[in-house]
Amino acid sequence: MRQIVILTGAGISAESGLGTFRDVGGLWSRYDWRDLATPEGFARDPGFVLAFYNWRRERVRAARPNPAHEALARLQRDWPGGVTLITQNVDDLHEQAGSTGVVHMHGTHLTALCAACGHRWPAPEVMAAPDPCPACARPATRPDVVWFGETPYHMERIGAALSSADLFVSIGTSGTVYPAAGFAALARKAGARTLELNLEPSENADLFDEARHGPASTIVPGWVAALLG
Ligand code: APR
């Protein structure tokens, strides 16, 4: 039966009240990503970076899934074939909507990471740089989020899913950040059909066999309903 691979980005959580990065008013138009989303920025001013992620975590905790997240959970439950859900997002709205086995390639807000020993634990409400790691006790606490210049998580699993995909669907992402922006080309090379569901054409719109444009909370449930017949 058909294997569906889905990639989501910030656009799927926009209607849940979480900002995107590159839209007008997006996070990277108000903050400099070099200061907040790179290992160098963290080394320069860990307090500033952790304050930013404490604020983001608070907003994620207050957010609720929208009909797009719920539709993907329904697809995963009712589709007779396989559904692999890869997200660039660090929120847990897919899980809150009922999706399972979500592949968080850019990490997640909900866990803390020890930069010294690699230990992970549930992120505290307020994360501070001197917090001792529960495993090695060294003050090396950081968000478990993949920053620019770092290697995304689960790339082997993602490569395997793309190479056996029959359908690749990109939802709510600008297609500007690699390696995620390269997934459509990889899926096509493996013979998959490609579909883009986005508010507007993304940077790599030409890689998609089909595109539907509009808010995710409308076009994603419509697509899932049609697919499940
Ligand atoms: N419905 C559907 N799509 C939307 C909506 C919406 N309501 N609102 C915005 N979009 C689309 C925008 O048109 C844009 O193409 O979502 C996309 C958001 O793009 P970005 O802000 O670049 O977010 P994303 O693609 O997820 O960024 C990728 O960049 O900063 C890094 O690690 C960060 O994971 C992030 C990565």
Side-chain angles (χ1 to χ4, degrees):
M1 202 38 175
R2 287 165 64 93
Q3 296 298 319
I4 303 176
V5 176
I6 299 168
L7 169 71
T8 63
I12 199 170
S13 298
E15 291 159 273
S16 295
L18 296 179
T20 61
F21 294 97
R22 295 172 185 81
D23 290 321
V24 172
L27 278 170
W28 299 148
S29 68
R30 288 179 283 146
Y31 302 99
D32 185 338
W33 59 269
R34 294 166 192 82
D35 296 333
L36 291 169
T38 61
E40 297 76 17
F42 182 64
R44 255 195 320 274
D45 188 347
F48 178 57
V49 171
L50 290 178
F52 174 73
Y53 282 95
N54 288 337
W55 169 69
R56 291 275 293 157
R57 195 161 41 253
E58 192 184 317
R59 293 197 51 202
V60 162
R61 286 212 167 96
R64 291 291 165 267
N66 66 57
H69 298 102
E70 287 156 0
L72 293 186
R74 186 164 57 250
L75 177 68
Q76 194 176 32
R77 199 181 47 240
D78 299 345
W79 181 248
V83 176
T84 302
L85 179 52
I86 303 161
T87 188
Q88 299 172 91
N89 301 339
V90 291
D91 63 53
D92 66 335
L93 297 181
H94 284 305
E95 290 84 349
Q96 283 191 43
S99 286
T100 56
V102 180
V103 183
H104 281 272
M105 65 179 289
H106 288 168
T108 163
H109 264 308
L110 301 184
T111 55
L113 172 67
C114 175
C117 74
H119 179 65
R120 285 183 169 84
W121 67 99
E125 287 272 310
V126 177
M127 197 184 286
D131 288 352
C133 165
C136 74
R138 276 172 282 183
T141 298
R142 60 164 282 181
D144 187 15
V145 168
V146 177
W147 285 325
F148 290 100
E150 295 184 323
T151 307
Y153 298 152
H154 312 300
M155 288 308 291
E156 296 248 316
R157 180 170 165 202
I158 291 170
L162 291 171
S163 60
S164 57
D166 298 304
L167 176 63
F168 174 75
V169 189
S170 179
I171 303 175
T173 180
S174 59
T176 50
V177 176
Y178 286 81
F183 290 174
L186 288 174
R188 275 176 84 100
K189 212 182 301 176
R193 277 190 60 248
T194 52
L195 166 66
E196 175 166 83
L197 303 177
N198 206 56
L199 192 61
E200 62 208 2
S202 70
E203 298 268 310
N204 51 12
D206 56 324
L207 288 172
F208 292 93
D209 300 309
E210 186 192 349
R212 301 184 192 182
H213 298 132
S217 66
T218 308
I219 62 174
V220 176
W223 168 66
V224 168
L227 199 66
L228 293 177

